[in-house]
Amino acid sequence: MSKELINWTPFIFSRKGFPRDEEGKPFIPFNVITDALKSAAVYYYLKKDKEIENKVKVYLLKQNLDPEEVIDKVKEIIFEKYPIFKNLKIQERIYLNPEKIKEEYIEVFDLKEWIDVRGFKGEIYQDTLGIQIEAENWDKIKAACHSYAEGLAHMERSLLKDHPLIEEFYNPLISEMKHWDIPLRIGMWTENKYKGTLLFFWKIKEIREKFLKQHHIDIRPRHVLYLPREKQTLGWSELKIK
């Protein structure tokens, strides 16, 4: 069934730009959407289900944890109990309008220090895309995506303290996304390897400190991709299924 993906702020795929097919046509692969949906569901069910929270917490605190397998293992724990994406179907490639691709300077913005730590020039995209996607649990998916997107926006806003972006960008964003159908954060919007998948645990001191000390990973996506000219962070989108 055809739906719409509305990019309320631009998104990028990687530092290297968007992939192209054999004919040079730009596209994004299906996992750009499925990864965004699954990250939302992980956050939602960790927040909703105490049994799941405790099970994942025990896993994250175990000795000799392999940080490379964390995301797959956490998803396995959650989706074994809540298989809401069991019959999710989505087209393999979502093609982009090449005329809408622009090259811009993108800051890797430290939300706490208010500095650009390793910015780069890259391809950005903003347009409404038609997308072929089917699922059986839209009500649960919608609840999960609202919980996650709003939680992520609030977290980023809290790190900024009194930065002008709070009034200029985040307050309007948070207000508007409450009316979106299914909010998503798509593409490469941070260089944090976990993105927001472990966002639920950032307030739990023992887990936060373990990841910082042992793996040198901040489970909060503190560094986000930001367009200074537009004064927007990247990837805020809406999947419209109505």
Side-chain angles (χ1 to χ4, degrees):
M1 188 177 293
S2 182
K3 314 293 185 186
E4 283 188 333
L5 181 69
I6 303 169
N7 310 129
W8 290 107
T9 69
F11 71 93
I12 75 169
F13 180 75
S14 74
R15 282 180 174 254
K16 296 180 179 178
F18 293 101
R20 266 76 173 175
D21 68 8
E22 301 77 9
E23 298 178 354
K25 296 177 181 178
F27 68 93
I28 52 172
F30 71 95
N31 63 293
V32 168
I33 308 302
T34 57
D35 286 354
L37 290 168
K38 289 178 180 179
S39 290
V42 167
Y43 174 81
Y44 179 69
Y45 284 112
L46 284 170
K47 186 177 176 181
K48 184 180 176 68
D49 188 322
K50 196 70 178 177
E51 179 187 8
I52 287 287
E53 176 195 339
N54 290 333
K55 191 171 183 179
V56 173
K57 184 176 179 181
V58 168
Y59 164 69
L60 294 176
L61 290 174
K62 78 172 187 177
Q63 291 189 350
N64 303 316
L65 179 73
D66 182 354
E68 298 300 322
E69 70 175 15
V70 163
I71 297 305
D72 288 340
K73 182 61 178 177
V74 170
K75 287 179 179 177
E76 179 184 316
I77 291 170
I78 291 168
F79 297 136
E80 182 179 4
K81 184 172 183 179
Y82 297 101
I84 65 170
F85 300 114
K86 184 177 180 181
N87 293 312
L88 176 68
K89 297 177 182 178
I90 184 169
Q91 67 196 84
E92 186 174 345
R93 293 178 176 180
I94 303 162
Y95 280 91
L96 310 178
N97 180 351
E99 295 180 0
K100 297 289 186 178
I101 296 176
K102 299 178 182 177
E103 191 170 273
E104 294 252 2
Y105 182 78
I106 301 163
E107 290 187 5
V108 180
F109 186 67
D110 186 321
L111 291 165
K112 290 190 73 174
E113 300 295 332
W114 304 359
I115 57 173
D116 177 15
V117 293
R118 48 183 180 276
F120 59 96
K121 287 198 76 173
E123 289 185 339
I124 66 169
Y125 189 86
Q126 185 173 14
D127 194 19
T128 296
L129 296 168
I131 178 172
Q132 298 292 323
I133 185 168
E134 295 180 13
E136 295 180 351
N137 297 288
W138 285 122
D139 287 346
K140 293 177 182 177
I141 291 169
K142 183 173 183 176
C145 289
H146 270 279
S147 178
Y148 175 65
E150 291 169 28
L152 196 56
H154 278 285
M155 183 278 296
E156 292 179 20
R157 184 178 67 175
S158 72
L159 286 175
L160 285 165
K161 298 189 182 299
D162 59 350
H163 191 283
L165 268 181
I166 291 176
E167 293 297 332
E168 294 173 356
F169 179 70
Y170 278 97
N171 284 350
L173 174 73
I174 290 168
S175 177
E176 290 164 10
M177 73 167 57
K178 293 180 186 297
H179 305 288
W180 296 355
D181 203 4
I182 297 179
L184 294 177
R185 192 78 180 275
I186 69 166
M188 177 185 167
W189 54 269
T190 177
E191 292 189 306
N192 182 313
K193 69 190 299 176
Y194 298 146
K195 293 189 175 180
T197 306
L198 299 183
L199 178 66
F200 175 80
F201 290 108
W202 77 273
K203 291 183 179 179
I204 300 178
K205 184 178 179 181
E206 55 187 328
I207 294 178
R208 182 175 73 244
E209 290 185 348
K210 175 183 177 177
F211 274 78
L212 277 173
K213 290 178 180 178
Q214 295 187 15
H215 308 301
H216 309 291
I217 296 170
D218 189 341
I219 57 176
R220 291 181 303 180
R222 169 176 161 175
H223 297 151
V224 297
L225 302 191
Y226 172 66
L227 295 177
R229 192 166 67 176
E230 288 82 0
K231 296 182 179 179
Q232 296 176 326
T233 51
L234 297 185
W236 299 103
S237 301
E238 175 189 4
L239 179 60
K240 209 166 188 64
I241 63 168
K242 293 177 180 176

